[in-house]
Amino acid sequence: MSNEFEQNLEKAGNYLQRFQSTVTGHFIGGEFTAGNGKTFSNTTPVDQSTLGEVAEGSVDDVDAACEAAEAAFANWRDMPGAERKKLLNHFADKIVERAEEIALVESMDCGQAIRFMKAAAVRGAANFRFFADKAPEAGDGQALLQAEHTNYTLRYPIGPVGIITPWNTPFMLATWKIAPALAAGCTIVHKPAELTPLSAYLLAEIAKDAGIPDGVWNTVNGFGEVSGKRLTEHPAIKAVALVGESATGSHIMRQGAETLKRMHFELGGKNPVIVFDDADFDRALDAVVFMIYSLNGQRCTSSSRLLIQSGIRERFVAALEERVRKLRVGHPLDPQTEVGPLVHSGHFNKVMSYMDIARQDGATVAVGGQRRDDLGAGNYVAPTLFTNADNNMRVAREEIFGPVLTAISFDTEEQAVAIANDTDYGLSAYIWTENSGRAMRLARQVEAGMLWINSENNRNLPSPFGGVKMSGIGRDGGDYSFDFYMETKNVCVAHGTHKVPVLGR
Ligand code: NAD
């Protein structure tokens, strides 16, 4: 065990102690509360031991949080953008101060390797700084001129909003959704995933410490079917932003129908990475490995389908097999670890079930395919590569959400496009070719919200982020986020010269 690993374990133990000795509660109207006393147990995927008890949000808890968000809305909306900017930048500073704690707690809660989680706090702070700086101009609209009228548009925050987040990168995703909502002038009720509640609690603490006014930020823990459901039904909540599974998006759309909520969904994917014969072999190989095996493959934009052109297939797959075999699986706090344990035993069992499904459907399990028993009771899966697959197999069609890659061969550009698009999903796609004309053609033809050409997933906060088909509705990033969290009002002013229609004179 390296020194750094030992130190990480010790520090994480210290940070986690408080969650073991008291119930992780909700944050409502500026107060931490355990609600009605009902709790559920939060386990770590490292060894299934408990990290403590968490308040199980009830309908009453959610109602209280929504009422707090509603009561705080007018003051927050009316706070000048420049002041919101200052406050949210201050909040980002506070995140950075607690970066180590956030990373260690998050790794133990969700199983993501510390090498990736180290950057989580910094990215979370960057999300806040980016949107904070845009707060002063969030309300700016357009001037649309006509001969005898001038139209101008105003934007104003839609109201209290519900933010529902998943367990895969809980801290980063919560900041990604909450930062633009607050910068726009909305108040929020956050419902974090029941499997990973700890970093949401830290965020609420930071909000209080940073001086975000009471009621502007509320957090309610609990299960999707109870607290999540109530949040999507509450009349005070004007919009719901969900990051989660496609099926959850459908539920939420139904639940929010009665109160006509505006919805923004970032959902699942089965994203293709298309590697042509003329690709830069080494860079493509690095990116293919990174985009499915980093973050335990629990990543919405992971490239879980490799479409490989027949001319380089043998050489590429052989190199890939070697790399996948060498991936270092282990404890998430070991700085050497590249792949950690999957978030929960239920999800682990789901991922493991695809090993048999792949074999039954006729794919080859070229690497992995089993549990890493040598690593103890944690949810450790051997990084897995399926080859000789076709796009009709379940491992090519269903989102597995683990360190599992399905390789499919193609001959022509047309075939690559057809296979890439033969899916219910459309979140992201990756294209590797040195032929720029072909890259441009595919950029138009491949059905996805986001395409990366000769790159792994590179993040740019002003760019639109989101999916098509079953992968989502709406876009985040830059001004796209403000469009969701704000209403646009058109004001039409006459110049006093046009002819007003005359009736009944
Ligand atoms: P999930 O859909 O099971 O849960 C997400 C959240 O929704 C949780 O907080 C959950 O409690 C809540 N929820 C569940 N049912 C609900 C209901 N009926 N009403 C209200 N809330 C409800 O997703 P997960 O398993 O936590 O996360 C993994 C999924 O998230 C994957 O499908 C992944 O692709 C997706 N994801 C998408 C993106 C993206 O940007 N497109 C990013 C990360 C994760």
Side-chain angles (χ1 to χ4, degrees):
M1 192 183 280
S2 71
N3 267 353
E4 197 181 334
F5 183 14
E6 263 179 59
Q7 282 166 9
N8 283 346
L9 282 173
E10 194 188 329
K11 284 184 201 160
N14 292 338
Y15 286 130
L16 287 166
Q17 235 165 29
R18 53 190 294 229
F19 294 109
Q20 267 154 351
S21 50
T22 49
V23 170
T24 302
H26 317 303
F27 181 58
I28 299 173
E31 300 294 331
F32 289 94
T33 158
N36 60 8
K38 222 172 146 191
T39 64
F40 64 96
S41 196
N42 178 28
T43 56
T44 172
V46 167
D47 58 9
Q48 321 294 355
S49 62
T50 179
L51 294 177
E53 291 295 304
V54 180
E56 186 183 325
S58 64
V59 166
D60 288 345
D61 296 325
V62 176
D63 285 357
C66 294
E67 283 156 26
E70 192 177 32
F73 175 63
N75 280 344
W76 185 245
R77 175 197 62 199
D78 295 340
M79 177 185 278
E83 260 180 63
R84 274 207 300 274
K85 169 180 168 176
K86 215 166 129 195
L87 199 46
L88 295 178
N89 271 312
H90 180 56
F91 176 87
D93 295 340
K94 296 267 171 197
I95 289 182
V96 174
E97 280 171 21
R98 292 177 72 174
E100 179 188 77
E101 176 188 5
I102 291 164
L104 292 169
V105 167
E106 180 95 320
S107 277
M108 288 299 287
D109 202 9
C110 71
Q112 299 285 14
I114 192 70
R115 69 165 60 221
F116 301 118
M117 286 308 97
K118 262 187 189 162
V122 177
R123 281 184 63 175
N127 287 337
F128 267 90
R129 288 194 212 291
F130 175 79
F131 285 107
D133 289 346
K134 292 177 82 67
E137 76 236 28
D140 289 355
Q142 292 176 298
L144 301 163
L145 308 180
Q146 293 175 286
E148 295 181 293
H149 292 82
T150 294
N151 295 270
Y152 64 94
T153 62
L154 306 169
R155 280 199 309 201
Y156 58 94
I158 190 168
V161 299
I163 309 265
I164 303 179
T165 51
W167 45 254
N168 58 323
T169 47
F171 180 82
M172 210 293 290
L173 285 169
T175 59
W176 174 235
K177 306 304 285 186
I178 293 172
L182 294 185
C186 298
T187 54
I188 65 127
V189 178
H190 178 207
K191 210 301 276 169
E194 49 270 42
L195 297 182
T196 53
L198 300 189
S199 61
Y201 187 85
L202 298 183
L203 271 172
E205 270 187 347
I206 296 171
K208 185 155 177 90
D209 183 34
I212 306 259
D214 292 351
V216 168
W217 183 313
N218 306 276
T219 305
V220 180
N221 287 298
F223 297 100
E225 303 73 32
V226 180
S227 54
K229 180 169 182 287
R230 179 59 185 159
L231 180 56
T232 60
E233 291 170 344
H234 198 285
I237 297 295
K238 301 303 172 205
V240 172
L242 163 76
V243 185
E245 287 183 21
S246 301
T248 308
S250 301
H251 284 306
I252 290 182
M253 195 168 254
R254 272 191 293 273
Q255 292 160 193
E258 191 70 27
T259 45
L260 284 181
K261 297 236 187 310
R262 184 181 289 181
M263 299 285 179
H264 186 166
F265 294 155
E266 290 182 8
L267 308 174
K270 192 72 189 178
N271 311 304
V273 51
I274 309 174
V275 182
F276 285 93
D277 288 345
D278 67 353
D280 181 326
F281 190 97
D282 294 334
R283 288 173 70 80
L285 181 64
D286 287 344
V288 166
V289 172
F290 179 76
M291 277 313 301
I292 182 66
Y293 299 106
S294 61
L295 298 180
N296 301 347
Q298 296 172 164
R299 178 187 204 138
C300 56
T301 51
S302 71
S303 51
S304 51
R305 282 188 298 155
L306 165 65
L307 312 190
I308 179 79
Q309 199 165 18
S310 42
I312 56 160
R313 183 179 64 95
E314 242 173 76
R315 193 161 77 90
F316 196 86
V317 169
L320 186 59
E321 285 180 14
E322 199 185 325
R323 291 284 287 276
V324 179
R325 251 183 229 112
K326 285 191 190 153
L327 287 167
R328 290 188 293 266
V329 184
H331 194 290
L333 297 190
D334 183 343
Q336 295 295 314
T337 293
E338 293 169 327
V339 180
L342 302 192
V343 68
H344 185 258
S345 52
H347 181 62
F348 170 84
N349 291 336
K350 177 193 150 183
V351 171
M352 288 306 296
S353 74
Y354 282 96
M355 309 304 175
D356 284 337
I357 291 169
R359 291 185 187 100
Q360 281 156 16
D361 284 357
T364 303
V365 182
V367 185
Q370 75 279 354
R371 178 172 196 280
R372 284 287 304 267
D373 289 321
D374 56 312
L375 294 171
N379 303 323
Y380 294 99
V381 174
T384 297
L385 174 66
F386 300 134
T387 55
N388 299 317
D390 70 49
N391 205 52
N392 294 319
M393 294 179 181
R394 284 182 61 192
V395 290
R397 305 203 78 78
E398 297 171 17
E399 187 185 45
I400 300 174
F401 222 55
V404 178
L405 176 61
T406 301
I408 300 164
S409 172
F410 70 90
D411 293 317
T412 64
E413 184 180 315
E414 292 69 29
Q415 276 176 353
V417 172
I419 298 171
N421 289 344
D422 179 19
T423 172
D424 292 336
Y425 295 107
L427 187 59
S428 61
Y430 305 83
I431 294 157
W432 286 85
T433 176
E434 292 293 289
N435 178 335
S436 58
R438 170 153 63 199
M440 301 293 274
R441 289 193 294 278
L442 262 77
R444 287 189 178 210
Q445 292 163 3
V446 172
E447 295 162 359
M450 297 169 284
L451 275 111
W452 279 274
I453 312 282
N454 296 330
S455 179
E456 78 288 12
N457 171 340
N458 162 62
R459 193 159 172 262
N460 182 40
L461 294 177
S463 293
F465 186 103
V468 301
K469 295 157 83 175
M470 293 301 276
S471 290
I473 298 175
R475 295 291 177 272
D476 257 322
D479 211 49
Y480 297 94
S481 296
F482 288 145
D483 258 349
F484 177 71
Y485 291 112
M486 302 181 90
E487 292 283 15
T488 300
K489 180 188 281 180
N490 188 67
V491 182
C492 179
V493 185
H495 302 174
T497 54
H498 76 291
K499 195 164 176 292
V500 179
V502 179
L503 298 178
R505 185 181 280 165

